[in-house]
Amino acid sequence: MRERRKNKETFFRKYWVVFICTFLVTAASYYPKIRYFNYSIDTERMIRLPDYTLDWWLKLGRYGLVALSKIPFFGEGVHVRYINILTYLLLFVSVLFLSYVFDKETKRSRIELFLAISLYVTTPVVLEQTNFVLQSAPVVFSTVIMFIGYGLLKIYIENKNYWLLLSGLIFVMLSFTVYVSLVLGFVALTIVDICYQSRKEVWGIKKYFSRVMYFAGASIISYGGYLIGNIVCLKVFNLKSSEYLLESKLWGTVPNAQVYDTIKSSLINNFEFDSPFAFWGVMVLLTLFIVLSILNKENIVITLITLVGIVVIGTYTVPLLGYFGTLRSYFPVYPILLYGLAMLIFQSARINLMKVSSYLFIFVLVAVQGFNTFRFGVNEEKIYQQEVALVKEIEIKLKENSIEDISEYKLAIIGGKTFEEITHGDMLGNTVFAWDLTSNVGTSYRAGDFIYNHGLHFKRITPKEYAKAIERSNDMTIFPDNQSIKIVEEILIIKLS
């Protein structure tokens, strides 16, 4: 206990400047999200139909998320600015725990730790996930919980206190209940951390594999506990589990040749140099990792296992779904891998030229990621303001057509509308007015809920009624033309395209 306290004091005494700089980098990268009021797809439904969203989360096995969403601290209701501030404060807190768990012995220099942490906090993958403000703070909080659990499991190895083992397993299991992708985050952390520790303490293969088996067992037990809890929740609330992720897979739904083409194109699109997510950076980091491991004569077996593990966990959606995505599911896997690879590179960079070259490249990558994350935040605000302006335009047009008692009508939106944007991501850059176009009600639910939340309280339409609205819209023009709005019985039709 005394030694652990001494380690903490030494750790924070050495790195306090690093953490202040990291806080500033985090605040700068996410300033547009903190400063402006806007929200992403799915949030509009939670505002109007919160019970529907909570049931959906339960069906997805995210019962911990439902529990946290009931706690005022996490922004009960939709308090966007508060939630965003809390989210990015928790993101900063998460790197404190990650860096301590990873290297509490303070082996790395201040510049090295700063660069590694900055890779973690600036990647736009974080914004892909945290742009969902209804779950952003709980998901980042659960990441902190996972790091704490992992740290407790490491401490158990040193002193064999079974309370630490039990606490570690419980913390990790609780993190899984909030966001199941944290299972993969735990695996990613294990891969890079065990490699780092093996090199620091010069392990043999036998000790390395014993640690692998220990953490593999811990993850299986924690995941098993999560599954038991999920079964109980579904029984209690009389719900059926949703296979949402697997329903989006391409394997078995289209010819294999088409799947291979999709994999190829999705990898090219995401890893090309002009991708706003800068995934090309991890390819360079992997190359540096291999080169420096060879130059430093690291254990070849451990190096190969680590390399394969990083590639597999970093592209897990390809064999699972048949394409590289969805990008938000790579949180916290990708940030952890970026951090871990940087720390491994610094650990093996013994030649000054290689060390300085690594510093320069990672600094450039941090700058690119931070700029793109900032730009994505600005882009979300730009799109949101155009969405609000469209709602105002619809309201004015309804008044011009003497349609005032709108609560009596069901809204049918035909077609969709996109807006001017700066950049585009996976979920980032999308609008409710062009989402779910192929559903049996088109954009009427997404866009309709958004419109409802901005004061136009229409009723929801049924798929059967929407089919009728499509038939009656053939002679209509495109909004905002005078013939772009029509009332058929109790259905108000707006044709956007």
Side-chain angles (χ1 to χ4, degrees), residues 199-250:
R199 293 180 175 185
K200 184 173 63 178
E201 300 174 13
V202 196
W203 294 350
I205 295 298
K206 184 178 179 180
K207 186 171 183 179
Y208 173 81
F209 277 109
S210 70
R211 292 295 173 86
V212 169
M213 295 305 295
Y214 169 70
F215 282 105
S219 65
I220 291 170
I221 292 170
S222 297
Y223 187 65
Y226 153 75
L227 289 178
I228 292 170
N230 189 43
I231 292 170
V232 171
C233 281
L234 291 173
K235 283 285 186 182
V236 169
F237 293 100
N238 194 28
L239 296 171
K240 185 179 179 181
S241 178
S242 172
E243 298 293 339
Y244 170 71
L245 185 62
L246 293 178
E247 286 172 0
S248 62
K249 69 178 181 180
L250 296 181

Side-chain angles (χ1 to χ4, degrees), residues 102-162:
F102 205 91
D103 191 38
K104 63 179 182 294
E105 294 84 5
T106 63
K107 295 294 183 181
R108 304 270 58 83
S109 68
R110 292 179 180 85
I111 183 64
E112 289 172 351
L113 183 64
F114 172 71
L115 290 172
I117 290 176
S118 296
L119 281 177
Y120 176 100
V121 298
T122 59
T123 172
V125 169
V126 174
L127 190 58
E128 272 285 349
Q129 174 54 240
T130 58
N131 199 46
F132 291 84
V133 294
L134 298 177
Q135 63 183 38
S136 60
V139 166
V140 179
F141 175 75
S142 66
T143 305
V144 175
I145 294 300
M146 188 268 283
F147 290 155
I148 294 173
Y150 186 91
L152 292 172
L153 291 173
K154 286 183 70 173
I155 296 173
Y156 167 75
I157 297 173
E158 300 168 4
N159 60 21
K160 304 301 179 184
N161 184 326
Y162 286 100

Side-chain angles (χ1 to χ4, degrees), residues 74-350:
F74 289 101
E76 185 179 28
V78 185
H79 306 289
V80 173
R81 286 196 176 91
Y82 167 77
I83 292 173
N84 283 337
I85 291 171
L86 177 62
T87 295
Y88 300 115
L89 278 175
L90 287 170
L91 180 67
F92 169 70
V93 170
S94 74
V95 300
L96 300 182
F97 282 96
L98 173 61
S99 54
Y100 181 76
V101 165
F102 205 91
D103 191 38
K104 63 179 182 294
E105 294 84 5
T106 63
K107 295 294 183 181
R108 304 270 58 83
S109 68
R110 292 179 180 85
I111 183 64
E112 289 172 351
L113 183 64
F114 172 71
L115 290 172
I117 290 176
S118 296
L119 281 177
Y120 176 100
V121 298
T122 59
T123 172
V125 169
V126 174
L127 190 58
E128 272 285 349
Q129 174 54 240
T130 58
N131 199 46
F132 291 84
V133 294
L134 298 177
Q135 63 183 38
S136 60
V139 166
V140 179
F141 175 75
S142 66
T143 305
V144 175
I145 294 300
M146 188 268 283
F147 290 155
I148 294 173
Y150 186 91
L152 292 172
L153 291 173
K154 286 183 70 173
I155 296 173
Y156 167 75
I157 297 173
E158 300 168 4
N159 60 21
K160 304 301 179 184
N161 184 326
Y162 286 100
W163 284 111
L164 289 171
L165 175 62
L166 180 60
S167 300
L169 293 171
I170 291 173
F171 270 81
V172 173
M173 183 201 74
L174 290 176
S175 73
F176 295 169
T177 69
V178 177
Y179 191 50
V180 186
S181 287
L182 280 166
V183 176
L184 300 170
F186 183 90
V187 174
L189 179 55
T190 301
I191 290 169
V192 291
D193 179 57
I194 292 182
C195 181
Y196 185 83
Q197 303 304 324
S198 71
R199 293 180 175 185
K200 184 173 63 178
E201 300 174 13
V202 196
W203 294 350
I205 295 298
K206 184 178 179 180
K207 186 171 183 179
Y208 173 81
F209 277 109
S210 70
R211 292 295 173 86
V212 169
M213 295 305 295
Y214 169 70
F215 282 105
S219 65
I220 291 170
I221 292 170
S222 297
Y223 187 65
Y226 153 75
L227 289 178
I228 292 170
N230 189 43
I231 292 170
V232 171
C233 281
L234 291 173
K235 283 285 186 182
V236 169
F237 293 100
N238 194 28
L239 296 171
K240 185 179 179 181
S241 178
S242 172
E243 298 293 339
Y244 170 71
L245 185 62
L246 293 178
E247 286 172 0
S248 62
K249 69 178 181 180
L250 296 181
W251 300 109
T253 60
V254 298
N256 285 346
Q258 186 175 335
V259 178
Y260 297 139
D261 287 340
T262 302
I263 291 173
K264 179 182 177 181
S265 61
S266 67
L267 287 174
I268 290 173
N269 290 337
N270 282 289
F271 283 88
E272 61 187 358
F273 189 74
D274 61 351
S275 167
F277 293 93
F279 285 121
W280 51 267
V282 80
M283 302 300 294
V284 179
L285 291 177
L286 276 173
T287 303
L288 284 171
F289 168 70
I290 296 168
V291 171
L292 290 171
S293 295
I294 293 171
L295 291 176
N296 205 38
K297 299 180 180 178
E298 306 287 2
N299 187 300
I300 187 66
V301 175
I302 295 176
T303 300
L304 285 175
I305 293 173
T306 303
L307 177 62
V308 171
I310 290 172
V311 172
V312 170
I313 203 71
T315 57
Y316 79 94
T317 55
V318 172
L320 181 65
L321 303 178
Y323 55 91
F324 185 74
T326 55
L327 298 188
R328 62 189 180 280
S329 68
Y330 279 97
F331 177 87
V333 171
Y334 190 72
I336 290 172
L337 291 181
L338 285 171
Y339 172 88
L341 275 171
M343 294 291 276
L344 287 167
I345 287 167
F346 297 145
Q347 186 184 48
S348 296
R350 305 290 174 83

